[in-house]
Amino acid sequence: MPVVTIDSVGQFAGQTVTINGWLYNLREAGKLLFPIFRDGTGTIQGVVSAKENSGAFEALKGLTQESSCIVTGRVNPDARAPGGFELHVETIDVVQRIPDSDPYPIQLKEHGPDFLLENRHLWMRTPRQAAILRIRAQVVHATRNYLDAHGYVLTDAPMFTPAACEGTSTLFEVDYFDEGKAYLTQSGQLYIEATAASLGRVYCFGPVFRAEKSKTRRHLTEFWMCEPEVAYAGLEDIMVLGEHLVSHIVQDVVAHRARELEVVGRDVSKLAAVCPPFPRISYDEAIAVLQKSGKDVKWGDDFGGDEETVLSSQYDRPVIVHHYPAAIKAFYMQPDAERPDRALSFDMLAPEGYGEIIGGSQRIHDYNLLLERIRQHGLSEKAFQWYLDLRRYGSVPHSGFGLGIERTVAWICGTTHIREVIPFPRMLYRIYP
Ligand code: ATP
Ligand code: MN
Protein backbone atom coordinates (compact mmCIF):
# COMPACT_ATOMS: atom_id res chain seq x y z
CA MET A 1 0.00 0.00 0.00
CA PRO A 2 1.46 3.42 -0.84
CA VAL A 3 2.15 5.57 2.24
CA VAL A 4 0.74 8.98 1.40
CA THR A 5 0.25 12.33 3.08
CA ILE A 6 -3.23 13.72 3.63
CA ASP A 7 -2.57 16.76 1.44
CA SER A 8 -2.01 14.41 -1.51
CA VAL A 9 -4.90 11.94 -1.09
CA GLY A 10 -6.70 13.56 -4.03
CA GLN A 11 -4.23 11.87 -6.35
CA PHE A 12 -5.27 8.47 -4.97
CA ALA A 13 -9.04 8.65 -5.34
CA GLY A 14 -10.51 5.14 -5.43
CA GLN A 15 -7.25 3.56 -4.27
CA THR A 16 -6.25 2.07 -0.95
CA VAL A 17 -3.53 4.02 0.83
CA THR A 18 -1.74 4.14 4.18
CA ILE A 19 -1.49 7.26 6.32
CA ASN A 20 0.93 7.67 9.22
CA GLY A 21 -0.80 9.94 11.66
CA TRP A 22 -2.63 10.67 14.85
CA LEU A 23 -6.27 10.51 15.87
CA TYR A 24 -7.48 14.08 15.98
CA ASN A 25 -11.09 13.42 16.92
CA LEU A 26 -13.58 10.57 17.09
CA ARG A 27 -17.33 10.67 16.78
CA GLU A 28 -19.17 7.46 17.65
CA ALA A 29 -22.63 6.85 16.23
CA GLY A 30 -23.72 3.36 17.25
CA LYS A 31 -22.34 0.88 14.75
CA LEU A 32 -20.51 3.63 12.86
CA LEU A 33 -17.35 5.48 13.84
CA PHE A 34 -16.25 8.75 12.27
CA PRO A 35 -12.62 9.37 13.17
CA ILE A 36 -10.67 12.39 11.98
CA PHE A 37 -6.99 11.71 11.38
CA ARG A 38 -4.24 14.28 11.08
CA ASP A 39 -0.72 13.80 9.81
CA GLY A 40 0.75 17.31 9.81
CA THR A 41 -0.23 17.99 6.21
CA GLY A 42 -3.97 18.15 6.86
CA THR A 43 -6.91 16.28 8.31
CA ILE A 44 -9.17 13.66 6.79
CA GLN A 45 -12.39 12.17 8.02
CA GLY A 46 -12.68 8.41 8.04
CA VAL A 47 -15.60 6.05 8.37
CA VAL A 48 -15.67 2.58 9.92
CA SER A 49 -18.67 0.32 10.13
CA ALA A 50 -18.92 -2.48 12.72
CA LYS A 51 -20.76 -4.66 10.26
CA GLU A 52 -18.29 -4.38 7.40
CA ASN A 53 -15.06 -4.23 9.34
CA SER A 54 -15.25 -5.42 12.94
CA GLY A 55 -11.44 -5.53 13.35
CA ALA A 56 -10.92 -1.85 12.59
CA PHE A 57 -14.10 -0.98 14.52
CA GLU A 58 -12.83 -2.63 17.70
CA ALA A 59 -9.34 -1.09 17.35
CA LEU A 60 -10.75 2.39 16.90
CA LYS A 61 -13.68 2.34 19.32
CA GLY A 62 -12.85 4.41 22.38
CA LEU A 63 -9.44 5.31 21.01
CA THR A 64 -8.20 8.44 22.72
CA GLN A 65 -7.48 11.76 21.08
CA GLU A 66 -3.86 12.13 19.80
CA SER A 67 -3.13 8.41 19.99
CA SER A 68 -0.70 7.70 17.17
CA CYS A 69 -1.90 5.28 14.53
CA ILE A 70 -1.20 3.94 11.05
CA VAL A 71 -4.39 3.80 9.02
CA THR A 72 -5.03 1.99 5.77
CA GLY A 73 -8.14 2.62 3.77
CA ARG A 74 -9.73 3.52 0.47
CA VAL A 75 -9.88 7.17 -0.60
CA ASN A 76 -13.46 8.01 -1.53
CA PRO A 77 -14.40 11.29 -3.19
CA ASP A 78 -17.12 12.84 -1.02
CA ALA A 79 -18.35 16.33 -1.70
CA ARG A 80 -19.66 16.69 1.88
CA ALA A 81 -16.35 15.81 3.52
CA PRO A 82 -13.99 18.66 4.43
CA GLY A 83 -11.23 18.45 1.84
CA GLY A 84 -13.47 16.55 -0.58
CA PHE A 85 -12.36 13.03 0.37
CA GLU A 86 -13.24 10.48 3.00
CA LEU A 87 -11.18 7.50 4.10
CA HIS A 88 -13.00 4.16 4.13
CA VAL A 89 -10.87 2.59 6.87
CA GLU A 90 -9.74 -1.01 6.31
CA THR A 91 -7.09 -1.57 8.99
CA ILE A 92 -5.79 0.48 11.86
CA ASP A 93 -2.57 -0.13 13.69
CA VAL A 94 -2.37 1.80 16.96
CA VAL A 95 1.26 2.80 17.55
CA GLN A 96 0.67 4.34 20.97
CA ARG A 97 -2.64 4.46 22.73
CA ILE A 98 -2.90 7.35 25.18
CA PRO A 99 -4.43 5.86 28.33
CA ASP A 100 -7.80 7.15 29.57
CA SER A 101 -6.15 7.82 32.93
CA ASP A 102 -3.76 10.40 31.43
CA PRO A 103 -5.57 12.00 28.51
CA TYR A 104 -4.09 14.46 26.05
CA PRO A 105 -4.21 17.83 27.84
CA ILE A 106 -5.52 19.93 24.97
CA GLN A 107 -9.13 19.09 24.29
CA LEU A 108 -11.14 20.32 21.34
CA LYS A 109 -12.52 23.28 23.22
CA GLU A 110 -11.40 26.79 24.04
CA HIS A 111 -8.38 27.04 26.32
CA GLY A 112 -6.83 30.20 27.77
CA PRO A 113 -3.62 31.59 26.26
CA ASP A 114 -1.51 30.86 29.36
CA PHE A 115 -2.49 27.22 29.35
CA LEU A 116 -1.79 26.93 25.64
CA LEU A 117 1.59 28.66 25.91
CA GLU A 118 2.55 26.41 28.82
CA ASN A 119 1.72 23.51 26.51
CA ARG A 120 3.20 25.02 23.36
CA HIS A 121 4.97 21.72 22.58
CA LEU A 122 1.52 20.10 22.25
CA TRP A 123 -0.55 23.11 21.18
CA MET A 124 1.43 23.26 17.93
CA ARG A 125 -0.28 20.01 16.83
CA THR A 126 -3.65 21.65 16.38
CA PRO A 127 -4.51 22.27 12.72
CA ARG A 128 -4.52 26.04 13.11
CA GLN A 129 -1.09 26.13 14.72
CA ALA A 130 0.34 23.67 12.21
CA ALA A 131 -1.02 25.82 9.37
CA ILE A 132 0.64 28.93 10.84
CA LEU A 133 3.98 27.13 11.07
CA ARG A 134 3.68 26.05 7.44
CA ILE A 135 2.92 29.62 6.40
CA ARG A 136 5.93 30.79 8.39
CA ALA A 137 8.13 28.31 6.54
CA GLN A 138 6.72 29.58 3.25
CA VAL A 139 7.48 33.18 4.23
CA VAL A 140 11.10 32.24 4.99
CA HIS A 141 11.36 30.29 1.74
CA ALA A 142 9.91 33.15 -0.32
CA THR A 143 12.18 35.69 1.35
CA ARG A 144 15.32 33.70 0.62
CA ASN A 145 14.19 32.79 -2.88
CA TYR A 146 13.50 36.36 -3.86
CA LEU A 147 16.86 37.61 -2.64
CA ASP A 148 18.83 34.64 -3.99
CA ALA A 149 17.19 35.05 -7.40
CA HIS A 150 18.04 38.75 -7.52
CA GLY A 151 21.76 38.48 -6.88
CA TYR A 152 21.87 38.94 -3.11
CA VAL A 153 24.44 36.81 -1.32
CA LEU A 154 23.58 35.32 2.05
CA THR A 155 26.26 36.42 4.53
CA ASP A 156 25.51 35.44 8.11
CA ALA A 157 26.21 37.94 10.85
CA PRO A 158 27.52 36.83 14.26
CA MET A 159 25.20 36.30 17.22
CA PHE A 160 27.88 37.28 19.77
CA THR A 161 28.91 40.90 19.45
CA PRO A 162 31.50 42.84 21.41
CA ALA A 163 29.61 46.14 21.53
CA ALA A 164 26.15 47.53 21.23
CA CYS A 165 24.89 48.99 17.96
CA GLU A 166 22.56 51.38 19.68
CA GLY A 167 23.36 51.36 23.39
CA THR A 168 23.33 48.41 25.79
CA SER A 169 19.95 48.92 27.44
CA THR A 170 18.16 46.49 25.15
CA LEU A 171 20.92 43.90 24.90
CA PHE A 172 21.30 40.53 26.55
CA GLU A 173 24.68 40.28 28.19
CA VAL A 174 26.79 37.13 28.35
CA ASP A 175 30.19 36.36 29.83
CA TYR A 176 32.70 35.80 27.09
CA PHE A 177 35.79 34.08 28.56
CA ASP A 178 38.67 36.51 29.19
CA GLU A 179 37.25 39.08 26.78
CA GLY A 180 34.70 40.19 29.34
CA LYS A 181 31.15 41.02 28.36
CA ALA A 182 29.65 40.10 25.03
CA TYR A 183 26.11 40.79 23.85
CA LEU A 184 23.60 38.85 21.81
CA THR A 185 23.07 40.69 18.56
CA GLN A 186 19.98 42.81 18.00
CA SER A 187 20.71 43.31 14.30
CA GLY A 188 23.29 42.03 11.83
CA GLN A 189 23.34 45.31 9.96
CA LEU A 190 26.73 46.71 10.91
CA TYR A 191 28.40 43.45 9.92
CA ILE A 192 26.67 43.15 6.60
CA GLU A 193 27.68 46.68 5.71
CA ALA A 194 31.13 45.09 5.59
CA THR A 195 30.00 42.11 3.51
CA ALA A 196 28.12 44.48 1.15
CA ALA A 197 31.41 46.30 0.47
CA SER A 198 32.88 42.88 -0.33
CA LEU A 199 30.03 41.40 -2.39
CA GLY A 200 27.77 44.27 -3.49
CA ARG A 201 24.33 42.94 -2.61
CA VAL A 202 24.00 40.84 0.51
CA TYR A 203 21.61 39.81 3.22
CA CYS A 204 21.69 38.13 6.58
CA PHE A 205 18.86 36.11 8.03
CA GLY A 206 18.86 34.90 11.57
CA PRO A 207 17.58 35.31 15.09
CA VAL A 208 18.11 38.60 16.89
CA PHE A 209 17.62 39.38 20.56
CA ARG A 210 16.10 42.38 22.28
CA ALA A 211 16.01 42.81 26.02
CA GLU A 212 13.39 45.53 25.80
CA LYS A 213 10.63 45.16 28.35
CA SER A 214 7.84 45.52 25.82
CA LYS A 215 4.80 43.52 26.73
CA THR A 216 2.81 44.03 23.55
CA ARG A 217 1.30 41.66 21.02
CA ARG A 218 4.05 42.70 18.57
CA HIS A 219 7.19 42.11 20.61
CA LEU A 220 9.27 39.01 21.26
CA THR A 221 12.66 38.97 22.96
CA GLU A 222 13.98 36.60 20.30
CA PHE A 223 12.79 36.98 16.73
CA TRP A 224 14.01 36.44 13.18
CA MET A 225 15.06 39.21 10.91
CA CYS A 226 16.03 39.30 7.26
CA GLU A 227 18.36 42.20 6.50
CA PRO A 228 19.40 43.05 2.93
CA GLU A 229 22.21 45.58 2.48
CA VAL A 230 23.17 47.08 -0.87
CA ALA A 231 26.28 48.99 -1.95
CA TYR A 232 25.71 51.94 -4.27
CA ALA A 233 22.06 52.19 -3.24
CA GLY A 234 20.12 55.14 -1.86
CA LEU A 235 16.88 55.47 0.09
CA GLU A 236 14.71 55.24 -3.03
CA ASP A 237 16.41 52.02 -4.20
CA ILE A 238 15.97 50.33 -0.87
CA MET A 239 12.30 51.34 -0.51
CA VAL A 240 11.66 49.77 -3.93
CA LEU A 241 13.42 46.58 -2.83
CA GLY A 242 11.27 46.53 0.31
CA GLU A 243 7.97 46.76 -1.54
CA HIS A 244 8.98 44.15 -4.12
CA LEU A 245 10.23 41.74 -1.49
CA VAL A 246 7.12 42.07 0.69
CA SER A 247 4.70 41.69 -2.20
CA HIS A 248 6.63 38.66 -3.45
CA ILE A 249 6.40 37.06 -0.01
CA VAL A 250 2.65 37.69 0.27
CA GLN A 251 1.85 36.49 -3.24
CA ASP A 252 4.02 33.40 -2.81
CA VAL A 253 2.08 32.46 0.34
CA VAL A 254 -1.24 33.12 -1.40
CA ALA A 255 -0.16 30.89 -4.31
CA HIS A 256 1.29 28.01 -2.28
CA ARG A 257 -0.48 28.05 1.07
CA ALA A 258 -4.13 28.50 0.13
CA ARG A 259 -5.26 25.58 2.30
CA GLU A 260 -3.37 26.90 5.34
CA LEU A 261 -4.74 30.42 4.84
CA GLU A 262 -8.20 28.90 4.83
CA VAL A 263 -7.48 26.93 8.02
CA VAL A 264 -6.44 30.14 9.80
CA GLY A 265 -9.50 31.92 8.41
CA ARG A 266 -7.60 34.59 6.51
CA ASP A 267 -9.43 36.90 4.09
CA VAL A 268 -7.23 36.19 1.06
CA SER A 269 -8.74 39.00 -1.03
CA LYS A 270 -7.02 41.48 1.32
CA LEU A 271 -3.67 39.80 0.65
CA ALA A 272 -4.19 39.69 -3.10
CA ALA A 273 -4.18 43.51 -3.14
CA VAL A 274 -0.63 43.60 -1.84
CA CYS A 275 1.37 44.49 -4.94
CA PRO A 276 3.70 47.38 -5.75
CA PRO A 277 3.78 50.31 -5.72
CA PHE A 278 2.94 50.78 -2.05
CA PRO A 279 1.61 54.16 -0.90
CA ARG A 280 4.25 56.46 0.53
CA ILE A 281 3.96 59.37 2.91
CA SER A 282 6.65 61.47 4.52
CA TYR A 283 6.92 61.67 8.29
CA ASP A 284 5.74 65.30 8.03
CA GLU A 285 2.59 64.19 6.21
CA ALA A 286 2.10 61.40 8.73
CA ILE A 287 2.16 63.91 11.59
CA ALA A 288 -0.52 65.96 9.82
CA VAL A 289 -2.70 62.89 9.29
CA LEU A 290 -2.36 61.91 12.94
CA GLN A 291 -3.14 65.40 14.21
CA LYS A 292 -6.20 65.56 11.98
CA SER A 293 -7.42 62.28 13.42
CA GLY A 294 -7.12 63.73 16.92
CA LYS A 295 -3.84 62.16 18.07
CA ASP A 296 -1.76 64.22 20.42
CA VAL A 297 1.53 64.13 18.48
CA LYS A 298 3.99 66.79 17.40
CA TRP A 299 6.92 66.86 15.00
CA GLY A 300 9.81 64.93 16.54
CA ASP A 301 7.71 62.28 18.31
CA ASP A 302 8.27 58.62 17.57
CA PHE A 303 5.24 56.54 16.62
CA GLY A 304 3.87 53.81 18.83
CA GLY A 305 1.50 51.03 17.89
CA ASP A 306 -1.56 53.30 18.09
CA GLU A 307 -0.15 55.86 15.69
CA GLU A 308 0.98 53.15 13.29
CA THR A 309 -2.51 51.66 13.30
CA VAL A 310 -4.12 55.01 12.44
CA LEU A 311 -1.68 55.56 9.57
CA SER A 312 -1.87 52.08 8.09
CA SER A 313 -5.65 51.79 8.37
CA GLN A 314 -6.02 54.30 5.53
CA TYR A 315 -4.59 51.86 2.99
CA ASP A 316 -5.28 48.40 1.60
CA ARG A 317 -1.57 47.55 1.34
CA PRO A 318 1.51 48.35 3.39
CA VAL A 319 2.41 52.04 3.63
CA ILE A 320 5.95 53.40 3.58
CA VAL A 321 6.64 56.31 5.93
CA HIS A 322 9.91 58.03 5.07
CA HIS A 323 12.20 60.85 6.23
CA TYR A 324 11.81 60.47 9.99
CA PRO A 325 13.46 63.03 12.26
CA ALA A 326 17.13 62.15 12.63
CA ALA A 327 16.90 62.58 16.40
CA ILE A 328 14.61 59.55 16.86
CA LYS A 329 16.58 57.30 14.52
CA ALA A 330 19.87 55.41 14.75
CA PHE A 331 23.26 57.12 14.70
CA TYR A 332 24.33 55.57 11.38
CA MET A 333 21.50 56.96 9.27
CA GLN A 334 22.37 59.41 6.48
CA PRO A 335 20.90 62.87 7.01
CA ASP A 336 18.82 64.43 4.24
CA ALA A 337 21.06 66.92 2.37
CA GLU A 338 18.30 69.55 2.19
CA ARG A 339 17.06 69.15 5.74
CA PRO A 340 19.70 67.52 7.92
CA ASP A 341 17.19 67.22 10.78
CA ARG A 342 15.60 64.41 8.80
CA ALA A 343 17.17 61.01 8.19
CA LEU A 344 17.03 59.14 4.88
CA SER A 345 15.03 56.47 6.61
CA PHE A 346 11.78 54.60 6.17
CA ASP A 347 9.46 52.25 8.00
CA MET A 348 6.97 49.99 6.28
CA LEU A 349 3.71 49.60 8.19
CA ALA A 350 1.53 46.59 7.47
CA PRO A 351 -2.21 47.13 7.00
CA GLU A 352 -4.94 46.02 9.41
CA GLY A 353 -3.06 47.33 12.42
CA TYR A 354 -0.07 44.97 12.25
CA GLY A 355 2.41 47.81 12.65
CA GLU A 356 5.99 48.15 11.53
CA ILE A 357 7.32 45.20 9.54
CA ILE A 358 10.39 46.93 8.06
CA GLY A 359 12.76 49.57 9.32
CA GLY A 360 15.49 50.78 6.99
CA SER A 361 17.69 53.63 5.81
CA GLN A 362 20.55 54.91 3.78
CA ARG A 363 23.72 54.73 5.90
CA ILE A 364 26.25 57.46 6.53
CA HIS A 365 29.16 56.91 4.15
CA ASP A 366 31.28 59.93 5.12
CA TYR A 367 34.03 59.12 7.61
CA ASN A 368 34.01 62.44 9.47
CA LEU A 369 30.24 62.59 9.81
CA LEU A 370 30.08 59.03 11.13
CA LEU A 371 32.86 59.72 13.62
CA GLU A 372 30.99 62.80 14.81
CA ARG A 373 27.81 60.76 15.31
CA ILE A 374 29.62 58.03 17.20
CA ARG A 375 31.01 60.67 19.55
CA GLN A 376 27.65 62.45 19.91
CA HIS A 377 26.01 59.18 20.89
CA GLY A 378 28.71 58.42 23.44
CA LEU A 379 29.68 55.21 21.67
CA SER A 380 33.14 53.70 21.92
CA GLU A 381 35.38 54.83 19.06
CA LYS A 382 37.65 51.90 19.68
CA ALA A 383 34.83 49.38 19.36
CA PHE A 384 33.73 50.98 16.11
CA GLN A 385 37.18 51.17 14.48
CA TRP A 386 36.37 48.40 12.04
CA TYR A 387 33.05 50.04 11.20
CA LEU A 388 34.80 53.37 10.56
CA ASP A 389 37.31 51.55 8.35
CA LEU A 390 34.46 50.85 5.93
CA ARG A 391 34.33 54.67 5.47
CA ARG A 392 38.11 54.99 5.06
CA TYR A 393 38.60 52.47 2.30
CA GLY A 394 36.41 52.78 -0.78
CA SER A 395 33.32 54.14 0.93
CA VAL A 396 30.11 54.36 -1.12
CA PRO A 397 26.52 55.33 -0.41
CA HIS A 398 24.73 52.19 0.74
CA SER A 399 21.39 51.26 2.17
CA GLY A 400 19.50 48.42 3.78
CA PHE A 401 16.63 47.39 6.00
CA GLY A 402 15.45 44.80 8.47
CA LEU A 403 12.28 42.80 7.82
CA GLY A 404 10.78 41.25 10.93
CA ILE A 405 9.67 37.72 10.04
CA GLU A 406 7.18 37.21 12.87
CA ARG A 407 5.47 40.56 12.30
CA THR A 408 5.14 39.62 8.64
CA VAL A 409 3.76 36.15 9.40
CA ALA A 410 1.35 37.54 12.01
CA TRP A 411 -0.04 39.97 9.46
CA ILE A 412 -0.29 37.37 6.68
CA CYS A 413 -2.03 34.91 9.03
CA GLY A 414 -4.16 37.56 10.71
CA THR A 415 -3.23 36.37 14.21
CA THR A 416 -3.94 38.71 17.08
CA HIS A 417 -0.63 38.03 18.83
CA ILE A 418 2.87 37.47 17.47
CA ARG A 419 3.47 34.60 19.95
CA GLU A 420 1.52 32.21 17.74
CA VAL A 421 3.80 32.51 14.71
CA ILE A 422 7.11 31.18 16.05
CA PRO A 423 7.47 27.57 17.22
CA PHE A 424 8.67 28.47 20.73
CA PRO A 425 8.03 32.13 21.59
CA ARG A 426 10.40 33.96 23.91
CA MET A 427 8.76 36.83 25.73
CA LEU A 428 9.26 39.02 28.78
CA TYR A 429 7.53 36.50 31.05
CA ARG A 430 8.01 33.28 29.14
CA ILE A 431 10.98 31.03 28.44
CA TYR A 432 9.26 27.62 28.93
CA PRO A 433 8.98 25.26 27.13
P1 ATP B 1 9.27 48.70 17.18
O1 ATP B 1 9.40 50.20 17.20
O2 ATP B 1 8.03 48.20 16.54
O3 ATP B 1 9.55 48.07 18.51
P2 ATP B 1 11.91 48.79 16.07
O4 ATP B 1 11.83 50.08 15.35
O5 ATP B 1 12.61 48.72 17.35
O6 ATP B 1 10.44 48.16 16.22
P3 ATP B 1 13.82 47.78 14.14
O7 ATP B 1 15.02 47.92 14.99
O8 ATP B 1 13.59 48.76 13.07
O9 ATP B 1 12.52 47.69 15.09
O10 ATP B 1 13.76 46.26 13.60
C1 ATP B 1 13.39 45.92 12.29
C2 ATP B 1 12.12 45.08 12.27
O11 ATP B 1 12.19 43.99 13.18
C3 ATP B 1 10.88 45.82 12.67
O12 ATP B 1 10.37 46.54 11.59
C4 ATP B 1 9.96 44.71 13.10
O13 ATP B 1 9.38 44.08 11.96
C5 ATP B 1 10.89 43.71 13.72
N1 ATP B 1 10.94 43.80 15.18
C6 ATP B 1 11.54 44.76 15.92
N2 ATP B 1 11.43 44.50 17.23
C7 ATP B 1 10.75 43.33 17.33
C8 ATP B 1 10.34 42.51 18.44
N3 ATP B 1 10.65 42.85 19.70
N4 ATP B 1 9.67 41.37 18.19
C9 ATP B 1 9.40 41.01 16.92
N5 ATP B 1 9.75 41.73 15.84
C10 ATP B 1 10.43 42.88 16.04
MN1 MN C 1 12.22 50.47 13.31
Side-chain angles (χ1 to χ4, degrees):
M1 242 38 87
V3 177
V4 308
T5 51
I6 291 172
D7 62 350
S8 72
V9 291
Q11 300 162 33
F12 300 90
Q15 296 178 44
T16 298
V17 301
T18 295
I19 292 167
N20 294 330
W22 292 263
L23 182 67
Y24 176 61
N25 194 12
L26 180 64
R27 189 161 62 82
E28 311 201 355
K31 298 273 171 225
L32 286 177
L33 298 178
F34 298 100
I36 296 175
F37 301 105
R38 65 164 195 93
D39 75 342
T41 72
T43 56
I44 189 167
Q45 184 175 288
V47 58
V48 188
S49 123
K51 212 157 67 194
E52 284 172 36
N53 190 340
S54 60
F57 187 91
E58 288 311 318
L60 199 57
K61 195 170 159 46
L63 190 61
T64 40
Q65 185 200 343
E66 280 305 309
S67 288
S68 41
C69 48
I70 299 171
V71 196
T72 297
R74 198 175 67 246
V75 179
N76 285 343
D78 183 339
R80 290 163 308 169
F85 296 92
E86 195 178 57
L87 196 70
H88 198 94
V89 178
E90 291 168 11
T91 62
I92 179 154
D93 173 14
V94 176
V95 178
Q96 190 208 22
R97 184 198 160 89
I98 299 179
D100 295 297
S101 57
D102 183 20
Y104 185 66
I106 301 179
Q107 280 105 50
L108 305 180
K109 58 162 202 185
E110 289 283 318
H111 290 284
D114 284 336
F115 175 82
L116 292 171
L117 285 165
E118 199 67 11
N119 288 283
R120 180 60 176 166
H121 52 297
L122 303 174
W123 179 31
M124 58 174 59
R125 298 184 188 189
T126 60
R128 176 183 161 81
Q129 294 303 313
I132 291 172
L133 294 181
R134 268 179 199 278
I135 291 169
R136 177 194 173 91
Q138 194 71 34
V139 166
V140 172
H141 172 84
T143 305
R144 289 181 184 278
N145 254 10
Y146 184 88
L147 294 170
D148 292 344
H150 288 81
Y152 294 80
V153 182
L154 174 68
T155 56
D156 300 311
M159 296 293 111
F160 286 132
T161 61
C165 299
E166 301 163 40
T168 54
S169 64
T170 60
L171 292 177
F172 288 102
E173 208 175 80
V174 287
D175 290 323
Y176 200 83
F177 307 114
D178 295 339
E179 298 290 310
K181 296 288 178 218
Y183 303 93
L184 297 183
T185 187
Q186 57 178 349
S187 159
Q189 181 205 316
L190 303 192
Y191 290 95
I192 61 166
E193 287 184 53
T195 64
S198 164
L199 294 151
R201 298 174 171 202
V202 299
Y203 68 103
C204 62
F205 197 155
V208 294
F209 308 89
R210 303 230 174 147
E212 57 192 346
K213 296 203 160 143
S214 304
K215 203 176 161 244
T216 76
R217 58 193 183 85
R218 297 173 182 178
H219 288 89
L220 298 165
T221 56
E222 176 181 329
F223 65 97
W224 284 65
M225 188 147 70
C226 175
E227 297 177 83
E229 189 72 28
V230 191
Y232 286 105
L235 176 63
E236 172 66 23
D237 303 305
I238 207 71
M239 292 195 295
V240 169
L241 175 63
E243 62 191 2
H244 281 89
L245 175 61
V246 166
S247 55
H248 173 78
I249 294 167
V250 171
Q251 297 317 326
D252 192 73
V253 172
V254 169
H256 299 287
R257 290 286 168 255
R259 183 189 72 81
E260 287 79 6
L261 289 169
E262 196 187 322
V263 170
V264 301
R266 188 59 162 113
D267 180 352
V268 180
S269 69
K270 290 212 170 111
L271 298 177
V274 179
C275 44
F278 293 173
R280 295 182 185 187
I281 56 170
S282 67
Y283 173 89
D284 294 7
E285 291 167 324
I287 287 288
V289 169
L290 290 168
Q291 286 174 343
K292 218 185 257 169
S293 77
K295 287 270 167 221
D296 181 25
V297 289
K298 55 181 190 314
W299 201 92
D301 290 349
D302 205 354
F303 299 152
D306 288 351
E307 286 78 25
E308 289 175 356
T309 301
V310 171
L311 293 172
S312 64
S313 65
Q314 333 227 333
Y315 307 98
D316 66 346
R317 62 197 78 189
V319 55
I320 290 175
V321 183
H322 51 83
H323 290 91
Y324 281 81
I328 56 169
K329 288 292 178 182
F331 76 93
Y332 50 72
M333 292 189 183
Q334 177 72 20
D336 182 6
E338 280 159 35
R339 271 181 56 188
D341 62 335
R342 308 197 301 178
L344 298 182
S345 64
F346 80 103
D347 281 0
M348 187 187 289
L349 311 179
E352 302 170 70
Y354 282 91
E356 181 190 325
I357 52 172
I358 284 183
S361 72
Q362 185 170 325
R363 324 303 191 188
I364 293 174
H365 57 277
D366 180 74
Y367 179 88
N368 290 318
L369 180 57
L370 184 63
L371 184 60
E372 192 186 309
R373 287 293 158 85
I374 287 174
R375 287 178 178 162
Q376 276 170 2
H377 281 78
L379 298 168
S380 152
E381 261 173 71
K382 195 163 156 268
F384 281 102
Q385 267 318 303
W386 70 270
Y387 189 61
L388 282 160
D389 273 356
L390 304 177
R391 279 74 181 170
R392 293 170 71 194
Y393 306 113
S395 189
V396 297
H398 60 287
S399 303
F401 62 75
L403 168 72
I405 293 303
E406 289 74 17
R407 296 258 181 104
T408 306
V409 177
W411 160 48
I412 292 176
C413 291
T415 64
T416 50
H417 199 298
I418 197 170
R419 65 192 167 208
E420 273 188 85
V421 307
I422 186 165
F424 292 97
R426 296 290 174 249
M427 294 176 290
L428 190 49
Y429 295 111
R430 176 159 300 278
I431 196 164
Y432 176 90

